[in-house]
Amino acid sequence: MVKYCFINSLGIHFEHKLEFNSSWPSEKLAVGQIGGVATDKDGNVYIFHRGSRQWNAQCHIYCATFCVFKIPQGETSPSLVLGHRFQHGSDLTSFCKPTDVAVLSSGEFFVSDGYCNGRVLKFARNGTLIRAWGERQDFAANPPPIGSFDISHSVTVSEENNLVCVADRENGRIQCFDLDGNFKHIIKHPEFGNRLFAIEQSPVQGGVLYAVNGPSFSGPTDISVQGFTLDIKTGALLETWNIPQHLHNPHDVCIHTGSQSVYVGELNPQAVWKLSRQLPTAESTTPVHCLIIYGEVSF
């Protein structure tokens, strides 16, 4: 038997499409605006939401903590707090509306310090600052300079590829650096539009990166709000995906490494969506002769 395997020229292969999972959650969630989502190795999904608070462009946020917290598994109190409570700043001991954290297996971690400072900081596991790079983009330039951010909104790491990548939100692009902060490459596609909100690397899929864009305030109006699957090493666009009613305001994305399910949190509607790939069938796990078709694949 000959089986047709659709593999792009980079060797990344998906046997099934990423599709909306209508069976999750089993009951309706009562949450506010979704600021972040995460999973653990046991498949639990953690939702960081704003409750009854509604944040938008008209809000003036005076009492944010501007801190980064490390909370050990099973604990309710942080073992490490970085930053100064209720005080924002641009010095190397302060944050101003930090947006995301990504952790290495060594315990070192990266923080995207996002809205005001537009930078990335790398810390040792004990909280000692190792390096900071990037600057807030306060001027119009086309293309915007490398290493400048118009909101560093999301950060993810790929240890096997020695990469840390950042969603440069209002520039509609992804900037990737090595783990020491040296620039490597930019990922940008017309399908992103001009706003790219969140990214997450899949550690068990050989450098696969998932991303979500957002609605455009200016520029092209025909850009779909959707999800993307990318090669983190080359930036190649491998597939696009969506939910039946279409994404509207996705704010974060995460991947459960066990099932490879993707979760997307939205600000409005206030919801978390799950997308999954069909599990391999018995037939698909049976060794077969494979006619490999190389080239870009549309899903």
Side-chain angles (χ1 to χ4, degrees):
M1 181 177 70
V2 175
K3 183 178 180 181
Y4 289 84
C5 300
F6 292 91
I7 305 176
N8 63 39
S9 58
L10 305 170
I12 296 176
H13 170 226
F14 301 111
E15 189 167 348
H16 299 286
K17 296 179 181 180
L18 192 63
E19 297 181 329
F20 176 62
N21 188 324
S22 61
S23 65
W24 189 94
S26 58
E27 57 186 62
K28 187 175 181 180
L29 298 177
V31 293
Q33 293 178 324
I34 309 299
V37 289
T39 66
D40 62 20
K41 62 182 180 180
D42 298 320
N44 298 309
V45 181
Y46 300 87
I47 301 171
F48 183 78
H49 66 96
R50 299 169 181 170
S52 60
R53 300 173 182 86
Q54 298 291 314
W55 291 8
N56 53 43
Q58 286 71 48
C59 288
H60 297 280
I61 302 171
Y62 296 108
C63 58
T65 58
F66 303 106
C67 290
V68 172
F69 303 91
K70 176 182 178 181
I71 303 176
Q73 184 176 8
E75 301 293 328
T76 57
S77 299
S79 61
L80 178 68
V81 179
L82 298 178
H84 307 286
R85 286 179 180 268
F86 310 114
Q87 298 179 31
H88 60 83
S90 58
D91 62 85
L92 294 179
T93 67
S94 303
F95 302 105
C96 188
K97 301 178 185 177
T99 52
D100 201 9
V101 176
V103 185
L104 297 172
S105 59
S106 64
E108 296 175 335
F109 59 96
F110 299 87
V111 177
S112 50
D113 185 29
Y115 284 79
C116 314
N117 294 325
R119 62 185 179 182
V120 181
L121 302 96
K122 182 179 182 181
F123 294 90
R125 65 182 303 159
N126 65 357
T128 299
L129 179 67
I130 297 174
R131 186 173 179 182
W133 72 91
E135 60 183 2
R136 181 75 167 89
Q137 180 187 332
D138 290 323
F139 50 88
N142 189 19
I146 290 171
S148 69
F149 299 98
D150 194 352
I151 306 181
S152 48
H153 198 257
S154 179
V155 62
T156 191
V157 295
S158 176
E159 292 191 64
E160 64 270 35
N161 294 300
N162 191 41
L163 289 173
V164 53
C165 296
V166 186
D168 186 3
R169 195 181 89 178
E170 299 302 311
N171 285 321
R173 64 181 183 175
I174 301 167
Q175 296 193 61
C176 292
F177 308 82
D178 68 21
L179 298 183
D180 294 318
N182 301 301
F183 175 77
K184 301 300 290 185
H185 60 265
I186 284 174
I187 303 174
K188 186 173 176 65
H189 293 278
E191 292 87 348
F192 289 175
N194 56 13
R195 305 180 79 214
L196 198 285
F197 272 71
I199 56 175
E200 182 81 347
Q201 190 257 352
S202 172
V204 297
Q205 283 187 313
V208 173
L209 182 69
Y210 293 92
V212 289
N213 66 351
S216 176
F217 290 148
S218 61
T221 58
D222 58 346
I223 298 296
S224 296
V225 178
Q226 59 187 326
F228 309 91
T229 309
L230 307 145
D231 186 305
I232 197 171
K233 300 184 292 294
T234 68
L237 179 58
L238 305 176
E239 65 177 343
T240 61
W241 40 268
N242 218 319
I243 61 174
Q245 58 269 52
H246 298 284
L247 294 169
H248 290 84
N249 292 278
H251 204 70
D252 199 15
V253 62
C254 73
I255 298 96
H256 176 232
T257 56
S259 66
Q260 286 304 301
S261 292
V262 175
Y263 297 87
V264 178
E266 291 209 73
L267 292 179
N268 184 28
Q270 298 170 1
V272 180
W273 312 112
K274 179 179 181 179
L275 299 98
S276 306
R277 298 190 193 277
Q278 182 180 334
L279 294 175
T281 62
E283 178 182 342
S284 68
T285 59
T286 302
V288 294
H289 297 289
C290 191
L291 177 60
I292 300 176
I293 302 175
Y294 288 94
E296 291 299 321
V297 181
S298 298
F299 292 83

